[in-house]
Amino acid sequence: DVKVTQSSRYLVKRTGEKVFLECVQDMDHENMFWYRQDPGLGLRLIYFSYDVKMKEKGDIPEGYSVSREKKERFSLILESASTNQTSMYLCASYSLGRVNNQPQHFGDGTRLSIL
Amino acid sequence: AQKITQTQPGMFVQEKEAVTLDCTYDTSDPSYGLFWYKQPSSGEMIFLIYQGSYDQQNATEGRYSLNFQKARKSANLVISASQLGDSAMYFCAMREGPPGANSKLTFGKGITLSVRP
C-alpha cells in the first residue's frame, strides 16, 4: 500500500513564524501536491511538483512556498504565518501512468492553527 | 465557472438504503477522469471510485457505483446498502488531459452524508 506521511497531525504556531509542513511518500511517485481544506470551500491546490526541484503554482500559492530536494519529500513553507492560514493541510502523491485512473494518495492531514 | 459542482449541502439516509450523491462537471477536454473520495471525521481522504471519459460502462467498486451521464456532464455516486460507517464527507474531483499528462485534480466543495440507524 502507498504510504503518504505528514509530519504532524496537529500544529500550533504564532503569527509571523516560519512554518514547515513535511510530507514523505514511499512509492517513488513523481507527482506531489499540497492542498488546504476549509469548510465550505473544499480542497484548494496550493502548489504541486512533478519532479525533483520542479514546482508549479496551484490556485492559491500566495503566502506559501515549497521545496522538493528529494523525490520522496515535498515540503510546504509558510514564510510568515498569518491567522488566515489556519486550516487543514493535505499532502498527496500519485504516479504517472499510461492510463488516467491513477488516484492521488493522501496523507492524514495537518490541522494547523496560527495564533 | 466552477469545474466541479456539488450542490447538495447535506444528505441523510436510513441505514441499509441506497443514496445518490450528485456531481456535475465542466470541461472542454475530451479526455478526463472523474474520482470520488470519502473523508471521515478523522480527516484522511479515501479513494473510492474512478470513471474515465472514454469508459463505455459505469464504474463499480463493491457498494459504490458511478452513474456517469456524459452528455449531461454528471457523475453521481451511488452507495447501496448504506452503513453507519458511510457517514462522512464525499468529494468529487476531475483530472483533465490525456493519460500520462501531468495534471492536477480539481475538487468540488463536498457533500456531507449522515447515515441514520
Side-chain angles (χ1 to χ4, degrees):
Chain A
D1 273 357
V2 176
K3 185 69 176 176
V4 180
T5 304
Q6 293 184 231
S7 51
S8 306
R9 287 301 301 271
Y10 301 92
L11 203 55
V12 180
K13 296 292 183 180
R14 295 211 173 271
T15 303
E17 280 192 67
K18 191 169 185 177
V19 181
F20 292 85
L21 302 183
E22 305 287 348
C23 176
V24 177
Q25 49 93 5
D26 66 356
M27 285 302 292
D28 202 37
H29 286 171
E30 301 88 356
N31 295 266
M32 296 188 75
F33 304 81
W34 275 106
Y35 296 89
R36 66 175 282 175
Q37 182 181 4
D38 301 288
L41 297 179
L43 275 72
R44 294 180 292 166
L45 182 64
I46 305 171
Y47 266 98
F48 64 105
S49 168
Y50 51 87
D51 203 349
V52 175
K53 296 191 185 293
M54 306 301 287
K55 60 183 179 183
E56 294 280 345
K57 292 181 180 180
D59 300 317
I60 51 164
E62 296 77 20
Y64 303 94
S65 63
V66 290
S67 172
R68 189 141 182 229
E69 296 296 319
K70 294 184 178 181
K71 192 174 186 179
E72 67 270 20
R73 185 180 297 269
F74 191 35
S75 303
L76 179 69
I77 304 155
L78 286 65
E79 297 290 344
S80 177
S82 63
T83 54
N84 63 11
Q85 292 177 310
T86 291
S87 187
M88 169 77 138
Y89 289 87
L90 289 158
C91 174
S93 73
Y94 92 99
S95 178
L96 277 177
R98 294 183 179 275
V99 293
N100 215 13
N101 64 351
Q102 303 299 316
Q104 289 189 8
H105 299 271
F106 284 81
D108 289 341
T110 296
R111 294 187 188 272
L112 175 64
S113 296
I114 307 296
L115 304 180
Chain B
Q2 286 187 10
K3 291 205 170 198
I4 295 287
T5 303
Q6 296 180 264
T7 56
Q8 298 159 308
M11 294 286 288
F12 293 88
V13 65
Q14 204 66 34
E15 195 178 7
K16 299 181 185 177
E17 292 186 351
V19 63
T20 298
L21 306 181
D22 295 341
C23 173
T24 58
Y25 60 92
D26 183 28
T27 181
S28 57
D29 200 314
S31 179
Y32 54 90
L34 297 157
F35 300 78
W36 276 91
Y37 283 85
K38 171 186 178 182
Q39 186 182 43
S41 57
S42 49
E44 73 271 26
M45 294 283 283
I46 302 166
F47 166 66
L48 296 177
I49 196 167
Y50 165 84
Q51 181 81 46
S53 59
Y54 294 118
D55 292 345
Q56 296 297 311
Q57 294 187 327
N58 287 343
T60 60
E61 287 287 347
R63 292 186 300 111
Y64 305 108
S65 61
L66 215 149
N67 183 2
F68 181 47
Q69 298 189 41
K70 197 170 181 177
R72 294 185 177 184
K73 293 188 175 180
S74 74
N76 299 338
L77 177 70
V78 180
I79 305 174
S80 63
S82 297
Q83 301 172 356
L84 296 177
D86 293 334
S87 294
M89 180 160 281
Y90 289 80
F91 290 95
C92 179
M94 177 172 63
R95 178 183 298 146
E96 296 172 278
N102 289 311
S103 57
K104 58 186 182 180
L105 282 181
T106 302
F107 284 83
K109 295 183 178 181
I111 302 167
T112 301
L113 175 67
S114 299
V115 180
R116 292 174 169 150

PDB file of all heavy atoms in Angstrom, chain A residues 11 15 49 72 80-81 102:
ATOM      1  N   LEU A  11      -0.780  21.133  14.754  1.00  0.00           N
ATOM      2  CA  LEU A  11       0.347  22.054  14.912  1.00  0.00           C
ATOM      3  C   LEU A  11      -0.210  23.416  15.303  1.00  0.00           C
ATOM      4  O   LEU A  11      -1.196  23.883  14.706  1.00  0.00           O
ATOM      5  CB  LEU A  11       1.104  22.151  13.592  1.00  0.00           C
ATOM      6  CG  LEU A  11       2.555  22.580  13.578  1.00  0.00           C
ATOM      7  CD1 LEU A  11       3.402  21.704  14.500  1.00  0.00           C
ATOM      8  CD2 LEU A  11       3.095  22.531  12.155  1.00  0.00           C
ATOM      9  N   THR A  15       1.699  33.932  14.869  1.00  0.00           N
ATOM     10  CA  THR A  15       1.764  34.863  13.748  1.00  0.00           C
ATOM     11  C   THR A  15       3.193  35.329  13.523  1.00  0.00           C
ATOM     12  O   THR A  15       3.896  35.656  14.487  1.00  0.00           O
ATOM     13  CB  THR A  15       0.865  36.080  14.030  1.00  0.00           C
ATOM     14  OG1 THR A  15      -0.468  35.635  14.285  1.00  0.00           O
ATOM     15  CG2 THR A  15       0.830  37.017  12.837  1.00  0.00           C
ATOM     16  N   SER A  49       4.261  19.516  -7.577  1.00  0.00           N
ATOM     17  CA  SER A  49       5.586  19.247  -8.125  1.00  0.00           C
ATOM     18  C   SER A  49       5.525  17.960  -8.920  1.00  0.00           C
ATOM     19  O   SER A  49       4.967  16.965  -8.450  1.00  0.00           O
ATOM     20  CB  SER A  49       6.606  19.102  -6.983  1.00  0.00           C
ATOM     21  OG  SER A  49       7.826  18.580  -7.465  1.00  0.00           O
ATOM     22  N   GLU A  72      11.045  11.753  -2.720  1.00  0.00           N
ATOM     23  CA  GLU A  72      10.051  11.274  -1.778  1.00  0.00           C
ATOM     24  C   GLU A  72       9.516  12.351  -0.845  1.00  0.00           C
ATOM     25  O   GLU A  72       8.561  12.113  -0.129  1.00  0.00           O
ATOM     26  CB  GLU A  72      10.643  10.127  -0.939  1.00  0.00           C
ATOM     27  CG  GLU A  72      11.765  10.528   0.014  1.00  0.00           C
ATOM     28  CD  GLU A  72      13.139  10.421  -0.632  1.00  0.00           C
ATOM     29  OE1 GLU A  72      13.207  10.405  -1.886  1.00  0.00           O
ATOM     30  OE2 GLU A  72      14.134  10.359   0.127  1.00  0.00           O
ATOM     31  N   SER A  80       5.768  33.562   6.546  1.00  0.00           N
ATOM     32  CA  SER A  80       5.458  34.375   7.727  1.00  0.00           C
ATOM     33  C   SER A  80       3.986  34.119   8.045  1.00  0.00           C
ATOM     34  O   SER A  80       3.099  34.733   7.450  1.00  0.00           O
ATOM     35  CB  SER A  80       5.712  35.856   7.435  1.00  0.00           C
ATOM     36  OG  SER A  80       5.345  36.638   8.555  1.00  0.00           O
ATOM     37  N   ALA A  81       3.762  33.175   8.956  1.00  0.00           N
ATOM     38  CA  ALA A  81       2.405  32.676   9.180  1.00  0.00           C
ATOM     39  C   ALA A  81       1.445  33.791   9.591  1.00  0.00           C
ATOM     40  O   ALA A  81       1.800  34.693  10.370  1.00  0.00           O
ATOM     41  CB  ALA A  81       2.434  31.586  10.242  1.00  0.00           C
ATOM     42  N   GLN A 102      -5.091   6.718 -12.272  1.00  0.00           N
ATOM     43  CA  GLN A 102      -4.273   6.664 -11.062  1.00  0.00           C
ATOM     44  C   GLN A 102      -4.805   7.666 -10.045  1.00  0.00           C
ATOM     45  O   GLN A 102      -4.845   8.866 -10.313  1.00  0.00           O
ATOM     46  CB  GLN A 102      -2.816   7.007 -11.386  1.00  0.00           C
ATOM     47  CG  GLN A 102      -2.189   6.114 -12.428  1.00  0.00           C
ATOM     48  CD  GLN A 102      -2.150   4.672 -11.987  1.00  0.00           C
ATOM     49  OE1 GLN A 102      -1.810   4.386 -10.846  1.00  0.00           O
ATOM     50  NE2 GLN A 102      -2.510   3.770 -12.882  1.00  0.00           N
TER      51      GLN A 102
END
